[in-house]
Amino acid sequence: MVSIKQKDDHISDVSIKVNVTSTKEVEKKSKDKDGKEKVEKKNEEKQATLYYLVRVYEDKNGYSIIDLPQPYMPKSNQQVTVSENEENKNTNVAVNNEVRSFLESFFKTYTAKDRSDETKFFFKDSAKAESLNGLMNYVSMGDVSVYEKKSNKGQYIVRCSVKLEQPVTGIQSNHSYEFSIQRDGQDKFEILTMKPVSYEIK
């Protein structure tokens, strides 16, 4: 169990963490000592960690689940620091494209299994580096909005959406993030802060 959030006197949302193992039969081809091809069937196991939100109703008779469990991604901080003010929106197409390319590279590394050490190169402070380490797969980048920090030249607030997929179930979801980034040389940026903003199951 991760957490319990009470909605009213009778209903609570229970967040749970589930470790699952899926088994898939795969064919493995090889050759025997005479050079003849042989096919062996083996079971391949894949492990994953899933998070579910379960709505529970409590009364004098006990507890009951009143809705289907919904998959979700845990969010560490939903506070948004920027209002979408068009006056602050960056209009430089080249900069916007550079930021999008930077974030696409970041999310491919951020989601990849066994590449968690590489995410530190995207952050100014490597101690703030985060990684999903294969928990979700990167699918595509959606909208990217870049806002200039007038008080800090070369720094930007970025709001973006990204589509991710749970590798075991195939469930896709849209995630919105807010970044604070700054330029680090030609065509390069580094992340100052990263915050999840919203999450929607497709």
Side-chain angles (χ1 to χ4, degrees):
M1 185 181 298
V2 178
S3 66
I4 299 175
K5 185 176 182 180
Q6 192 158 348
K7 306 293 287 185
D8 59 28
D9 291 341
H10 296 282
I11 296 175
S12 297
D13 283 343
V14 181
S15 302
I16 59 173
K17 177 180 177 181
V18 182
N19 295 316
V20 299
T21 302
S22 65
T23 304
K24 181 181 179 182
E25 189 177 71
V26 295
E27 291 185 352
K28 190 174 181 180
K29 294 181 180 180
S30 61
K31 292 184 178 180
D32 59 21
K33 59 182 180 180
D34 298 322
K36 292 181 180 179
E37 190 176 84
K38 60 179 182 178
V39 177
E40 292 181 280
K41 290 186 178 181
K42 291 187 176 181
N43 287 331
E44 187 177 85
E45 290 189 348
K46 193 173 186 180
Q47 295 183 333
T49 301
L50 307 179
Y51 294 85
Y52 286 94
L53 189 69
V54 182
R55 183 152 289 181
V56 176
Y57 183 84
E58 177 188 4
D59 59 20
K60 62 182 180 180
N61 296 319
Y63 298 90
S64 57
I65 296 174
I66 59 175
D67 201 356
L68 290 174
Q70 297 295 323
Y72 80 103
M73 282 290 294
K75 299 179 283 291
S76 57
N77 190 337
Q78 286 188 324
Q79 182 181 1
V80 180
T81 59
V82 163
S83 60
E84 301 224 5
N85 186 340
E86 291 300 317
E87 292 180 7
N88 294 330
K89 204 165 188 177
N90 184 56
T91 56
N92 188 310
V93 176
V95 171
N96 290 346
N97 288 338
E98 288 171 7
V99 170
R100 172 181 281 272
S101 295
F102 169 75
L103 289 177
E104 286 177 340
S105 296
F106 166 72
F107 276 108
K108 288 174 183 177
T109 304
Y110 173 67
T111 54
K113 190 173 179 60
D114 300 326
R115 291 184 65 188
S116 56
D117 284 348
E118 296 178 39
T119 60
K120 66 184 179 183
F121 298 114
F122 290 87
F123 287 79
K124 179 175 177 60
D125 181 358
S126 60
K128 293 183 179 179
E130 301 178 30
S131 171
L132 290 181
N133 196 26
L135 178 62
M136 301 287 280
N137 291 333
Y138 171 81
V139 178
S140 62
M141 178 70 68
D143 294 333
V144 177
S145 298
V146 182
Y147 300 86
E148 292 183 83
K149 284 188 178 180
K150 300 297 184 183
S151 57
N152 296 90
K153 188 173 178 61
Q155 289 191 3
Y156 305 89
I157 296 291
V158 184
R159 296 287 298 279
C160 71
S161 64
V162 61
K163 183 179 288 185
L164 304 178
E165 180 182 81
Q166 212 292 320
V168 174
T169 63
I171 294 171
Q172 292 191 347
S173 47
N174 284 335
H175 301 253
S176 293
Y177 291 89
E178 179 183 288
F179 291 86
S180 174
I181 67 174
Q182 70 178 13
R183 188 171 287 282
D184 180 31
Q186 186 68 29
D187 301 332
K188 293 182 180 179
F189 299 90
E190 55 188 3
I191 298 169
L192 303 176
T193 61
M194 172 186 177
K195 295 178 181 179
V197 177
S198 65
Y199 166 79
E200 179 188 9
I201 300 166
K202 298 303 289 180

